[in-house]
Structure formats: structure tokens, C-alpha cells
Amino acid sequence: MTASLSTAWPRTAVASATSVLLAACLWTAAPPAQAQNAGAVAPTATAPAAAHPAAQTLQAQIDTRAKAIEQQLIAWRRDIHQHPEMGNLETRTAALVAAHLRKLGMEVKTGVAVTGVVGLLKGGKPGPVVALRADMDALPVKEQVDVPFASKAKGVFLGKEVDVMHACGHDAHVAILMATAEVLAGMKEQLPGSVKFIFQPAEETPATFEPDGQKIWGAKQMIKEGVMQNPKVDAVFGLHVSSSYPAGWIAWRPGPAMAAADQFWIDVQGKQTHGARPWQGIDPIVTGSQIVMGLQTIISRQSNIALEPAVITVGTFHGGNRMNIVPDTVSMTGTVRTYDEGMKKDIHQRISTTATNIAESAGTTAKVKVVELYNAVVNPPDLTAQMAPTLQRVAGSGNYGVMPKASASEDFSFYQQEAPGLFFNLGVTPKGTEPAKAAPNHSPHFYVDESGLIYGVRALANLTVDYMLQKQ
């Protein structure tokens, strides 16, 4: 069995896939050439930690141990891929993870934030605490990739039976972090610090309830339950596999890297009447349409997009049930994507003002609700500059770059509010395939070239060791 799935099994029908968008992450970054031109950090031969006497020895150990576990890494990924579970339902995945961490001799907590697992590896020497995070949940997508381990799983999403697939690559994230745990556990006595392995549920939002602004889940719930404390985390690292880069390519960005994601609901009250006599009622379809158009002027005419880009999208619009009846109500939902906290708050207010004032001009009312889902992922420039040489060394010359801002979102942002954190992309598109033509994350055709996974293991392990040594 080869390490690269692309050489072992045929890849089918990836060019015209339809993306499935949920509130969380849809990965659409720039292809490598564009990423390099977006201000890539100049190559550095070795990370600053290489000056430490132990650095090169530990780096060599990581490479050796990662290579030794590569086939097991791929086996884990395929097993998890074949048995996907949606947000807050990841019981099988969590049990697999917990058993592995216990086998490695770690302190293990289960049932964190419903199904999350946290393992603590105490190094043989004093030093900082580094957290590494992987998300475990899958999506309500029917897989259309022709591989022997394709998902045939069913599940329940918000009360409806659906097909389930790891269409965003979280199966790869879990397998990478399981392998990283084994690599670092084998070096335990030489580690100048401790490592928390965070396996998180529900990054894509829960399958069991609709976000309402009151309930919490995923990273935010794990933080509330103390995952970043006892011992307190000094730095946190995470990655996401992406179809936008060749297998093994590593991309990152200092500062705002991924957008905040918020959801809004607008209900327009009308007055039902016969479609032939609209003047006898109030048409919420016309009023709602005016609100949709009005919302677009918030970005194009009212927001300072020279500061940061922003997006408002209305994704659903429902009203009426017959061609000749003006209905009583219209309901719409949408998403807001921003990178600046001040702009986000201002846009929220303008959504409410725009909808209510347009409805008032029509002689009716609009009820507006905005729920904040995820904050922007912001990589601290100082930490990013500090660790960029590590990523460069792992990727190798010509296999890394700085990515442009992504309008996707990620709840890794909440960990970054608790400790300095760096989040980066790992390419998984087969080499020789044009990334722009590859099926994107969230597509039923999303495909992972497994030859890239070992780079994720090496990256997370080297980031951990280099950070610890630099802190000394």
C-alpha cells in the first residue's frame, strides 16, 4: 500500500463539484503561485531554535519517528473517514482517540464539551505548555469520491436524516494529531515542557441544535470547561488541510487570516391579500426584496473596505405558497464575514437599521436577529515571525508561502483569545493537479492526497519543540 492515495486509487469527477456551505469553514484559498506573491516570508535556512544544542537532535528524531508512523497515520485517517460523525456526535472517533492517548501514557479527559478529548503529555524537563488542536466532526454531505473507504454513513442533522462525509478534512486533522502525539510521546523525557492534545467536537457547529446566540459549542465550550488551563497554555498551534495547495505545501498569514462568521435572520411582516389586489395588503416579498438589495449597500457604500474587506450574503428567502396570494410573512437568513471587530459591530447595527427602516417605509415591520458565531482568526505577527522558519524548514524550499486572507471562518479563533496561537494550511491536492480545478473542501468530491499528511505531523511536532527550546 503506497503512502499516496493518488497513486493507489483513481480520482473521479472533481472538476465540477458543488460546494456545501455551512456556517463554519469553507476553505477557498489562493493557489501556490498567488500565495507566494502575497508577501511570502523570505526563506530562512533554519529556525532560530537550531542554535540550541538539542534542536537538531530533536528535529532529526521527529523526522525519523514521523516516517516510521506514516502508514499508521494513513490507516487512522482512512478508518475515521469511513466512519464520519457530525458535531457533538463524535463518540466513535473520541473513543479511538482516547484509547490511543491512554496507550501513550497520557493523562486523558473525555466528554469535554460533549465529546471532546484532551490528553496531557508532561515532558521530562520544565518548560512552557503548548496546545495542539484537531477538530473531529464531519458534514451532512453524500460522498462521491471513488475510494474503497468512502463513507456510506448516515446521520441526523437538525432532526433530518442525512448522508455524512468528512468533506472538510477533519479526519486528516485527527489522524495527524494522533500521529503527532505518538511522535512526541516517544521523545517525552527530552521535551522541555508539556503538550496538550485537544481533540475538539463541533467545529462545523453542532448537528443537534441551531445556533441561537445563547448555547455554546466546540472551541468556546472547551475553553469554558477549562481546556486552556490547569496547566495554563502558553501557545497553541493548529492546521487545516486545503485543496488549494499541492500535497505537503504549507501556507500561513500573519495578522487577520480568516474571517469572523455571523448569522442573521430577518422576518418581514406583511398583510395577506389577493395577488390581483396588492393595494389591499402589504407585500412582504417586495419589501423583503428591497431589504436584500439594501443590505448590499452596507458593504458597497457604507463600510470602509479600504480598512478590511467584508461580505454580507443572503442565503435563504422564503415566503408564500401560491402564485396569486400575497403572503403574510417573508423570512430570510444570511451570513456576515468580517476581519475587524469594529467593522463587525457597525455592520450588525446597519443590518438592523436597514431592514427595519425599509419595512417601516412600506408600512410594516421587520424583526432582525444577528448571532455571532466565530471570531476572526488572527495570527499574532510576532509569534508568526518567530515560528515561520520552522514551517519553512518542514515544507522545504519552494513548498511554502503566505496565503491571502480567507473569507472562511474557524473557531480556532477562540483559542487565540486565550493564548498566542498560529493557524496554518496544509496542502492535500495531488501534485500535478491544478489546485484551482480541485474539488474544494465541503464538496462531495473533496479528495485528500495522503502523501501530504506526514508534513502536518512534522509541522506540529517541530512547532512544539522549537517553541519550547526558544522559550528556554
Side-chain angles (χ1 to χ4, degrees):
M1 185 178 296
T2 62
S4 172
L5 180 61
S6 63
T7 59
W9 306 105
R11 186 179 188 200
T12 59
V14 299
S16 60
T18 301
S19 300
V20 180
L21 286 170
L22 296 183
C25 59
L26 172 64
W27 282 78
T28 51
Q34 182 178 343
Q36 281 190 309
N37 293 333
V41 179
T44 302
T46 56
H52 192 285
Q56 292 184 355
T57 299
L58 292 177
Q59 291 162 9
Q61 279 198 53
I62 288 171
D63 290 346
T64 299
R65 292 177 182 277
K67 188 62 180 175
I69 201 175
E70 185 174 17
Q71 293 305 314
Q72 180 61 64
L73 160 68
I74 292 170
W76 279 326
R77 184 258 160 174
R78 293 183 179 191
D79 176 64
I80 297 166
H81 185 88
Q82 196 168 17
H83 301 93
E85 298 166 303
M86 289 182 293
N88 284 351
L89 302 173
E90 308 93 337
T91 53
R92 181 185 185 276
T93 307
L96 178 70
V97 168
H100 177 60
L101 298 183
R102 289 192 180 104
K103 182 180 177 181
L104 296 174
M106 295 188 196
E107 297 178 12
V108 179
K109 292 183 179 179
T110 60
V112 185
V114 185
T115 56
V117 180
V118 181
L120 178 62
L121 177 67
K122 294 181 179 178
K125 304 173 185 178
V129 178
V130 173
L132 304 175
R133 175 272 206 164
D135 38 11
M136 302 189 293
D137 53 322
L139 289 163
V141 174
K142 182 176 178 61
E143 180 155 15
Q144 298 181 38
V145 181
D146 183 17
V147 292
F149 52 90
S151 170
K152 296 178 175 61
K154 299 281 187 178
V156 177
F157 181 74
L158 300 180
K160 295 176 61 176
E161 184 179 76
V162 294
D163 295 286
V164 186
M165 174 194 175
H166 270 295
C168 201
H170 296 186
D171 53 332
H173 302 170
V174 175
I176 287 170
L177 193 54
M178 289 175 69
T180 304
E182 184 153 334
V183 167
L184 293 176
M187 305 162 55
K188 174 180 176 179
E189 296 306 318
Q190 300 171 70
L191 293 182
S194 298
V195 190
K196 277 190 179 179
F197 297 91
I198 300 173
F199 292 85
Q200 176 206 307
E203 189 277 329
E204 301 282 0
T205 71
T208 51
F209 64 84
E210 183 84 23
D212 60 2
Q214 304 298 319
K215 299 174 184 176
I216 62 172
W217 64 90
K220 185 176 282 190
Q221 189 172 355
M222 294 201 84
I223 291 166
K224 183 179 179 181
E225 295 183 17
V227 71
M228 298 293 280
Q229 305 296 327
N230 302 317
K232 187 178 185 301
V233 172
D234 295 291
V236 57
F237 300 107
L239 62 77
H240 205 298
V241 296
S242 172
S243 67
S244 295
Y245 304 96
W249 182 280
I250 295 178
W252 66 93
R253 182 180 189 84
M258 300 182 67
D262 304 312
Q263 186 173 351
F264 63 84
W265 292 258
I266 301 175
D267 297 322
V268 182
Q269 183 61 54
K271 181 180 178 182
Q272 186 167 314
T273 186
H274 197 293
R277 297 186 294 274
W279 55 86
Q280 292 183 341
I282 298 175
D283 192 338
I285 292 179
V286 172
T287 304
S289 299
Q290 291 172 334
I291 289 173
V292 171
M293 297 306 296
L295 294 179
Q296 303 312 305
T297 69
I298 294 174
I299 304 302
S300 66
R301 290 295 180 270
Q302 302 174 47
S303 299
N304 181 8
I305 56 173
L307 173 64
E308 291 286 359
V311 174
I312 298 177
T313 294
V314 175
T316 69
F317 190 103
H318 299 289
N321 54 25
R322 200 170 192 277
M323 56 86 186
N324 64 344
I325 299 175
V326 173
D328 264 336
T329 60
V330 156
S331 299
M332 67 188 83
T333 64
T335 186
V336 182
R337 303 294 168 120
T338 56
Y339 298 91
D340 179 84
E341 187 69 15
M343 285 183 68
K344 179 174 81 170
K345 298 297 185 184
D346 180 68
I347 288 170
H348 289 181
Q349 182 57 51
R350 290 179 186 275
I351 289 173
S352 180
T353 300
T354 298
T356 55
N357 285 353
I358 289 175
E360 184 178 354
S361 72
T364 188
T365 59
K367 181 180 178 182
V368 181
K369 178 181 177 181
V370 181
V371 172
E372 296 184 17
L373 298 178
Y374 301 151
N375 293 339
V377 171
V378 180
N379 291 326
D382 54 349
L383 179 66
T384 306
Q386 176 185 342
M387 305 314 301
T390 300
L391 296 176
Q392 293 167 1
R393 186 185 72 243
V394 169
S397 178
N399 292 309
Y400 62 83
V402 172
M403 67 184 213
K405 289 176 180 172
S407 55
S409 62
E410 242 284 349
D411 71 357
F412 185 84
S413 56
F414 295 122
Y415 298 112
Q416 292 176 311
Q417 293 182 307
E418 304 297 315
L422 174 60
F423 197 69
F424 61 95
N425 279 7
L426 174 67
V428 291
T429 288
K431 292 178 180 178
T433 300
E434 189 177 339
K437 295 181 179 179
N441 300 56
H442 287 220
S443 163
H445 300 283
F446 177 65
Y447 179 91
V448 171
D449 182 338
E450 293 165 328
S451 68
L453 301 185
I454 191 174
Y455 288 87
V457 176
R458 292 177 57 228
L460 291 178
N462 276 282
L463 285 169
T464 300
V465 168
D466 285 0
Y467 181 85
M468 288 177 174
L469 293 175
Q470 289 170 29
K471 278 296 182 181
Q472 285 189 325

PDB file of all heavy atoms in Angstrom, residues 4 19 135 159 199 332 341 358 383 403 424:
ATOM      1  N   SER A   4       0.752   7.528  -0.864  1.00  0.00           N
ATOM      2  CA  SER A   4      -0.078   8.491  -1.583  1.00  0.00           C
ATOM      3  C   SER A   4      -1.304   7.812  -2.141  1.00  0.00           C
ATOM      4  O   SER A   4      -1.222   6.927  -2.975  1.00  0.00           O
ATOM      5  CB  SER A   4       0.716   9.123  -2.725  1.00  0.00           C
ATOM      6  OG  SER A   4      -0.134   9.908  -3.525  1.00  0.00           O
ATOM      7  N   SER A  19     -20.174  23.008  -3.999  1.00  0.00           N
ATOM      8  CA  SER A  19     -19.755  23.167  -2.605  1.00  0.00           C
ATOM      9  C   SER A  19     -20.958  23.137  -1.692  1.00  0.00           C
ATOM     10  O   SER A  19     -22.019  23.621  -2.031  1.00  0.00           O
ATOM     11  CB  SER A  19     -19.027  24.506  -2.423  1.00  0.00           C
ATOM     12  OG  SER A  19     -17.908  24.541  -3.242  1.00  0.00           O
ATOM     13  N   ASP A 135      -9.906  19.202  15.024  1.00  0.00           N
ATOM     14  CA  ASP A 135     -11.359  19.086  15.095  1.00  0.00           C
ATOM     15  C   ASP A 135     -11.789  17.741  14.515  1.00  0.00           C
ATOM     16  O   ASP A 135     -11.167  17.209  13.607  1.00  0.00           O
ATOM     17  CB  ASP A 135     -12.053  20.250  14.389  1.00  0.00           C
ATOM     18  CG  ASP A 135     -11.344  20.688  13.113  1.00  0.00           C
ATOM     19  OD1 ASP A 135     -10.439  19.969  12.645  1.00  0.00           O
ATOM     20  OD2 ASP A 135     -11.685  21.754  12.586  1.00  0.00           O
ATOM     21  N   GLY A 159     -32.501  17.138  13.128  1.00  0.00           N
ATOM     22  CA  GLY A 159     -33.738  16.373  13.076  1.00  0.00           C
ATOM     23  C   GLY A 159     -34.007  15.653  11.770  1.00  0.00           C
ATOM     24  O   GLY A 159     -34.998  14.925  11.664  1.00  0.00           O
ATOM     25  N   PHE A 199      -8.626  17.398  21.068  1.00  0.00           N
ATOM     26  CA  PHE A 199      -9.454  16.838  20.005  1.00  0.00           C
ATOM     27  C   PHE A 199     -10.867  17.377  20.224  1.00  0.00           C
ATOM     28  O   PHE A 199     -11.564  16.968  21.149  1.00  0.00           O
ATOM     29  CB  PHE A 199      -9.414  15.317  20.044  1.00  0.00           C
ATOM     30  CG  PHE A 199      -8.066  14.737  19.676  1.00  0.00           C
ATOM     31  CD1 PHE A 199      -7.066  14.606  20.636  1.00  0.00           C
ATOM     32  CD2 PHE A 199      -7.804  14.342  18.378  1.00  0.00           C
ATOM     33  CE1 PHE A 199      -5.825  14.076  20.306  1.00  0.00           C
ATOM     34  CE2 PHE A 199      -6.562  13.811  18.033  1.00  0.00           C
ATOM     35  CZ  PHE A 199      -5.566  13.679  18.993  1.00  0.00           C
ATOM     36  N   MET A 332     -35.855  35.457   5.845  1.00  0.00           N
ATOM     37  CA  MET A 332     -34.575  35.274   5.152  1.00  0.00           C
ATOM     38  C   MET A 332     -33.471  35.080   6.173  1.00  0.00           C
ATOM     39  O   MET A 332     -33.584  35.500   7.330  1.00  0.00           O
ATOM     40  CB  MET A 332     -34.271  36.482   4.252  1.00  0.00           C
ATOM     41  CG  MET A 332     -34.014  37.782   4.984  1.00  0.00           C
ATOM     42  SD  MET A 332     -33.881  39.211   3.884  1.00  0.00           S
ATOM     43  CE  MET A 332     -35.628  39.603   3.636  1.00  0.00           C
ATOM     44  N   GLU A 341     -13.082  43.839  14.304  1.00  0.00           N
ATOM     45  CA  GLU A 341     -14.155  43.779  15.302  1.00  0.00           C
ATOM     46  C   GLU A 341     -15.043  45.012  15.246  1.00  0.00           C
ATOM     47  O   GLU A 341     -16.269  44.919  15.360  1.00  0.00           O
ATOM     48  CB  GLU A 341     -13.548  43.615  16.696  1.00  0.00           C
ATOM     49  CG  GLU A 341     -14.561  43.366  17.792  1.00  0.00           C
ATOM     50  CD  GLU A 341     -15.241  42.012  17.715  1.00  0.00           C
ATOM     51  OE1 GLU A 341     -14.734  41.124  16.984  1.00  0.00           O
ATOM     52  OE2 GLU A 341     -16.291  41.830  18.362  1.00  0.00           O
ATOM     53  N   ILE A 358     -36.533  50.050   6.006  1.00  0.00           N
ATOM     54  CA  ILE A 358     -37.193  49.715   4.740  1.00  0.00           C
ATOM     55  C   ILE A 358     -38.590  49.159   5.017  1.00  0.00           C
ATOM     56  O   ILE A 358     -39.560  49.499   4.323  1.00  0.00           O
ATOM     57  CB  ILE A 358     -36.340  48.721   3.933  1.00  0.00           C
ATOM     58  CG1 ILE A 358     -35.092  49.422   3.386  1.00  0.00           C
ATOM     59  CG2 ILE A 358     -37.147  48.106   2.787  1.00  0.00           C
ATOM     60  CD1 ILE A 358     -34.122  48.497   2.663  1.00  0.00           C
ATOM     61  N   LEU A 383       4.472  36.040  16.958  1.00  0.00           N
ATOM     62  CA  LEU A 383       4.539  34.582  17.021  1.00  0.00           C
ATOM     63  C   LEU A 383       4.708  33.999  15.622  1.00  0.00           C
ATOM     64  O   LEU A 383       5.469  33.038  15.431  1.00  0.00           O
ATOM     65  CB  LEU A 383       3.276  34.021  17.674  1.00  0.00           C
ATOM     66  CG  LEU A 383       3.205  32.490  17.769  1.00  0.00           C
ATOM     67  CD1 LEU A 383       4.286  31.956  18.707  1.00  0.00           C
ATOM     68  CD2 LEU A 383       1.827  32.030  18.232  1.00  0.00           C
ATOM     69  N   MET A 403      -0.421  32.891   2.625  1.00  0.00           N
ATOM     70  CA  MET A 403      -1.709  32.826   1.932  1.00  0.00           C
ATOM     71  C   MET A 403      -2.432  34.162   2.016  1.00  0.00           C
ATOM     72  O   MET A 403      -2.208  34.956   2.938  1.00  0.00           O
ATOM     73  CB  MET A 403      -2.581  31.739   2.569  1.00  0.00           C
ATOM     74  CG  MET A 403      -3.036  32.030   3.985  1.00  0.00           C
ATOM     75  SD  MET A 403      -3.947  30.645   4.694  1.00  0.00           S
ATOM     76  CE  MET A 403      -5.108  31.523   5.749  1.00  0.00           C
ATOM     77  N   PHE A 424      -2.374  27.395  10.375  1.00  0.00           N
ATOM     78  CA  PHE A 424      -1.814  27.378   9.030  1.00  0.00           C
ATOM     79  C   PHE A 424      -2.507  26.325   8.174  1.00  0.00           C
ATOM     80  O   PHE A 424      -3.221  25.459   8.681  1.00  0.00           O
ATOM     81  CB  PHE A 424      -0.297  27.128   9.081  1.00  0.00           C
ATOM     82  CG  PHE A 424       0.115  25.820   9.701  1.00  0.00           C
ATOM     83  CD1 PHE A 424       0.364  24.705   8.917  1.00  0.00           C
ATOM     84  CD2 PHE A 424       0.265  25.703  11.085  1.00  0.00           C
ATOM     85  CE1 PHE A 424       0.748  23.497   9.489  1.00  0.00           C
ATOM     86  CE2 PHE A 424       0.650  24.500  11.666  1.00  0.00           C
ATOM     87  CZ  PHE A 424       0.890  23.390  10.864  1.00  0.00           C
TER      88      PHE A 424
END
